[in-house]
Amino acid sequence: MPSTANFLQYTQWCGIATIVFAVLTILAFLFKWGFRFRLVGTTGFMLVLTAGLFSLSLVPLSRTVIPGAVKYTLVYDNGSNQAVITTSPEITPTQLEATLRQAASNLYSPGRLGSGNNKQLTVRARTIIHPETGLSIPVYLGQVNRALTSREDTEMAVEVYLDKLASLPKPPAS
């Protein structure tokens, strides 16, 4: 994945190209070239592209990678202080803990607001089991609470519901 330094370099090159297109556009209007209005559109597009690349050079795009974490899918996020992820039913307790930590870190955003006195982001992990055909039951496997005030939260409270993990159906032996 490109870094912020890469995006800054792309912004510089795109800015130079934007200036070149702007000069060409001015020349096209001075000499009444037939494609002058196309150059106006191209110059406008280059301005938007340059602004977008510049904004990407300001904000890091990295995701946290925690060893042992497994793939998860975000299924609910109120944009404030609650989120729910889903995982595979074959997850182990150590994988679940690492996955919850990774999800809490990846879902942190300075734009999240706590409601009332709750200044904690709560990320819950669940899975879906199918005890019989046509019946799906969500099972909550654990949760993590992290502070909304700082990116680096060393005191994340991770809860793994071992009783719920133990009640999951075991995969068939192959």
Side-chain angles (χ1 to χ4, degrees):
M1 176 174 277
S3 68
T4 55
N6 294 121
F7 280 115
L8 187 58
Q9 184 179 13
Y10 303 153
T11 302
Q12 291 170 347
W13 284 104
C14 198
I16 291 168
T18 303
I19 292 168
V20 168
F21 276 110
V23 168
L24 276 173
T25 303
I26 291 169
L27 288 174
F29 272 95
L30 290 176
F31 294 115
K32 299 195 187 302
W33 294 339
F35 57 91
R36 62 185 175 260
F37 295 107
R38 291 181 188 168
L39 284 173
V40 170
T42 304
T43 304
F45 174 74
M46 291 302 296
L47 280 168
V48 171
L49 189 62
T50 302
L53 287 171
F54 177 70
S55 67
L56 288 172
S57 73
L58 299 176
V59 179
L61 296 173
S62 61
R63 293 281 188 199
T64 304
V65 177
I66 296 187
V70 297
K71 182 178 178 280
Y72 67 88
T73 304
L74 181 67
V75 291
Y76 173 78
D77 188 352
N78 70 357
S80 177
N81 63 350
Q82 294 181 12
V84 177
I85 62 170
T86 185
T87 65
S88 167
E90 289 87 29
I91 196 166
T92 65
T94 54
Q95 289 174 329
L96 179 62
E97 182 177 351
T99 304
L100 281 167
R101 287 183 184 278
Q102 180 170 323
S105 182
N106 287 342
L107 291 173
Y108 170 80
S109 170
R112 287 185 179 271
L113 302 172
S115 58
N117 289 335
N118 189 0
K119 301 296 182 204
Q120 296 277 315
L121 170 63
T122 301
V123 180
R124 299 177 77 192
R126 77 172 190 201
T127 192
I128 304 289
I129 59 171
H130 307 283
E132 59 186 63
T133 305
L135 180 63
S136 299
I137 300 174
V139 179
Y140 285 92
L141 304 174
Q143 73 177 25
V144 60
N145 292 317
R146 66 154 298 138
L148 285 172
T149 55
S150 68
R151 175 168 290 283
E152 301 300 323
D153 186 5
T154 57
E155 298 179 15
M156 279 192 230
V158 179
E159 291 180 63
V160 175
Y161 308 145
L162 294 174
D163 56 331
K164 301 287 184 168
L165 279 168
S167 69
L168 291 177
K170 304 297 179 229
S174 48

